[in-house]
Amino acid sequence: MTDRESKIAVVTGAGSGIGRAVAVELLHAGWAVALAGRRAERLAETTALAPEGDALVVRTDVARPDDVADLFATTVDRFGRVDLLFNNAGTFGPGGVPVEDLPYDAWRHVVDTNLNGAFLCAQAAYRQMKEQDPRGGRIINNGSVSAHTPRPRSVAYTATKHALTGLTKSLSLDGRPYGIAVGQIDVGNAATDMTTRMETGALQANGAVAPEPVMDVADVARTVRHMAELPLEANVQFATVLATAMPYVGRG
């Protein structure tokens, strides 16, 4: 059991990218964090970036209901409660594949990870937050600017990110009676392994390939921490954090 002065977070997809940055930011800030991901060695690398933190590594495939149940049971057994779920785990899937050539198995993998996995984790967090004492908590879903507008040849990723917005709204409404605040962060071009190609050239809507600016992923992590540390009476419903000059607003 951790000191009750600490807040307890579950971060999915914590082995890389935005999930890793958020987990490290929270650990540095004194949160106790359960780090979830499919590769335990990558999660261990994340914890090594904040050696002073109270971290718990739980190997988890969010698309598997039993894995998700074990993640939350292990977290509560160790820390006693859950104050925050950063619902971050996701995959872009095969990039640059035309709709007519996208294999159904690839579509299902993206949907199972990005949407079904997010639902399973949110459901488990909701159940715990509703019953714990004191009751309540916060869920922050990682949406993406693809929840607003697509990139070319990204049908599976874009569809799941649009669906996450509906999930966020429904959870936010249903959580009100129980002190469960739910919001979403939509990120554009944070510098991670997933966005490496942006700096060398990304396919644009007009068919051209052009480099795009990126931003420091630490700026995303600080935004998530701000959302997480608000009192439950206040909520950032939607936040968009993006590289200032990326071709997103207007005609680029």
Side-chain angles (χ1 to χ4, degrees):
M1 182 76 69
T2 190
D3 184 338
R4 187 61 195 98
E5 292 303 312
S6 297
K7 293 287 190 177
I8 315 305
V10 174
V11 177
T12 67
S16 62
I18 292 172
R20 170 175 285 181
V22 168
V24 170
E25 177 73 19
L26 293 174
L27 287 166
H28 282 319
W31 288 68
V33 181
L35 296 90
R38 290 181 299 161
R39 291 180 289 177
E41 68 278 7
R42 297 300 302 274
L43 299 174
E45 292 171 4
T46 300
T47 65
L49 297 173
E52 78 287 357
D54 192 357
L56 172 67
V57 169
V58 187
R59 197 215 63 79
T60 308
D61 182 342
V62 298
R64 296 177 178 271
D66 289 346
D67 278 18
V68 173
D70 181 66
L71 166 64
F72 282 84
T74 302
T75 301
V76 173
D77 183 62
R78 167 73 176 272
F79 297 125
R81 61 183 288 114
V82 175
D83 296 298
L84 170 69
L85 165 65
F86 181 47
N87 220 355
N88 166 75
T91 180
F92 193 82
V97 178
V99 174
E100 65 272 22
D101 295 330
L102 183 69
Y104 179 65
D105 286 349
W107 165 271
R108 277 297 304 270
H109 175 63
V110 176
V111 172
D112 283 343
T113 303
N114 296 5
L115 180 56
N116 295 340
F119 163 74
L120 290 170
C121 290
Q123 183 184 55
Y126 189 99
R127 287 170 173 163
Q128 174 60 33
M129 292 170 178
K130 181 179 176 182
E131 299 301 326
Q132 64 194 8
D133 183 23
R135 190 164 67 177
R138 190 179 303 275
I139 299 169
I140 301 173
N141 294 324
N142 186 349
S144 167
V145 294
S146 289
H148 300 268
T149 191
R151 287 188 176 276
R153 298 180 176 179
S154 66
V155 63
Y157 185 78
T158 299
T160 58
K161 293 303 185 178
H162 274 67
L164 268 179
T165 298
L167 180 68
T168 297
K169 291 178 178 180
S170 287
L171 290 170
S172 183
L173 179 61
D174 292 346
R176 286 177 181 176
Y178 310 109
I180 301 172
V182 186
Q184 181 169 310
I185 184 166
D186 296 324
V187 180
N189 286 16
T192 67
D193 292 342
M194 185 180 285
T195 60
T196 301
R197 70 186 188 282
M198 301 299 177
E199 295 181 274
T200 57
L203 182 63
Q204 305 297 306
N206 64 359
V209 174
E212 295 186 13
V214 298
M215 64 176 172
D216 191 338
V217 70
D219 293 320
V220 178
R222 283 190 287 269
T223 304
V224 172
R225 179 184 164 194
H226 167 71
M227 295 168 70
E229 292 184 341
L230 289 171
L232 291 178
E233 293 77 19
N235 187 40
V236 176
Q237 188 69 74
F238 293 97
T240 302
V241 184
L242 72 167
T244 303
M246 70 176 289
Y248 170 68
V249 177
R251 297 178 183 270

